[in-house]
Amino acid sequence: MLLTAACAVLAGARSYLAIGQWARHARQDTLYRLGFHARGPLGVRRPASPSTVRRVLVLVCPGGLADLLGHDPAGTESVAVDGKTARGSRTETAPAAHLLSAVTAAGRTVSQLRVPDKTNEITAFTALLAPFDLTGAVVTADALHTQREHAKWLVERKNAHYLMVVKGNQPKLHAALKALPWKEVTARRYDREAGHGRRETRSVRTLTVTGLGLDFPYLVQAVKIHRHRTDLKTGKVTRQTVHAITDMTSSEASPQLIGRIDSERSPTRRSPGDSTYSHCP
């Protein structure tokens, strides 16, 4: 059953129904190679129904089809946690599926979970990453996941590092980061890149903040990232300043390293759909 689902997804199936349809139209020799037994006096091999496929996958693969084809993150430099709503998943009786995904620096999906309705991504963060070896990896996440418990869990339980964006949902920490003497910082990096119809210039500054009383677990360095983007089609220019925090020391994470990690999770480097294999609910 799992092999059938994996083959169907590789052939383009993007739902449980599509997997069932792929199996139903598969040739007899294909079903033989997939392990389906001959039945009846004519020895016909019949694949499982879409409802059976769905039931088995939900029980075996809590992360959906990404658990079948997901990439093992062991040894990877960074893993980005990102949430997005799956297009085309809304029905007359159910809201659109919101998926939380973990993606490596190379853009390969590790796994994904559907965020239960009436909850948010925060509740799914540890469940998404718990099955994997993240030793030494830098887990990046947007401001929603800049939570004290997430940071402690990554460092203490997963032996990983974090690089988390800080915005208004952490008002005191955000204000403290903005007030740091960034103009005096000499540890900085400038990069330029282009992709997806945009040209971007990025500056990254890092500052060791141990001893300054910033209240966040294992916090060692603060980061200031300034992005200057130009839409190559319209010529529109946008500027964005982002503050982040990490448990890594200056020797472990230079501005160059942080700039590279930020670039790898940036939209200018990632294609649409990279973070999911399927929109299966």
Side-chain angles (χ1 to χ4, degrees), residues 34-227:
L34 291 173
F36 288 98
H37 298 294
R39 306 287 184 181
L42 298 179
V44 176
R45 291 178 170 82
R46 300 184 183 278
S49 67
S51 61
T52 300
V53 170
R54 180 189 181 98
R55 184 171 63 254
V56 171
L57 290 181
V58 168
L59 290 174
V60 176
C61 305
L65 300 180
D67 279 358
L68 294 176
L69 303 175
H71 179 70
D72 184 357
T76 191
E77 181 178 66
S78 64
V79 174
V81 175
D82 187 27
K84 61 181 64 178
T85 299
R87 292 177 293 179
S89 61
R90 186 186 303 276
T91 67
E92 295 181 357
T93 58
H98 190 78
L99 305 174
L100 186 65
S101 303
V103 185
T104 68
R108 303 185 65 180
T109 299
V110 176
S111 186
Q112 66 183 24
L113 287 178
R114 177 168 180 170
V115 178
D117 298 337
K118 299 182 180 180
T119 63
N120 59 38
E121 295 178 17
I122 296 174
T123 61
F125 183 88
T126 55
L128 174 71
L129 298 175
F132 305 104
D133 179 8
L134 298 175
T135 302
V138 182
V139 176
T140 66
D142 61 21
L144 180 65
H145 296 291
T146 305
Q147 307 289 331
R148 296 173 58 85
E149 292 305 314
H150 288 357
K152 292 172 63 177
W153 183 79
L154 287 171
V155 174
E156 296 174 3
R157 299 286 298 277
K158 305 302 290 182
N159 296 314
H161 300 290
Y162 66 79
L163 177 62
M164 297 178 174
V165 174
V166 179
K167 293 184 178 178
N169 61 326
Q170 296 277 354
K172 292 184 178 179
L173 181 59
H174 189 222
L177 294 180
K178 290 177 65 177
L180 291 173
W182 292 110
K183 291 184 178 180
E184 302 173 17
V185 173
T186 57
R188 63 182 67 181
R189 171 77 175 186
Y190 294 93
D191 291 295
R192 293 179 180 177
E193 62 184 33
H196 297 278
R198 288 182 290 188
R199 182 175 60 247
E200 178 174 301
T201 301
R202 178 189 298 106
S203 69
V204 179
R205 305 184 187 194
T206 60
L207 181 64
T208 299
V209 293
T210 52
L212 297 184
L214 298 182
D215 185 22
F216 201 85
Y218 301 103
L219 173 57
V220 175
Q221 284 197 99
V223 180
K224 183 177 182 179
I225 303 172
H226 182 73
R227 304 187 184 107

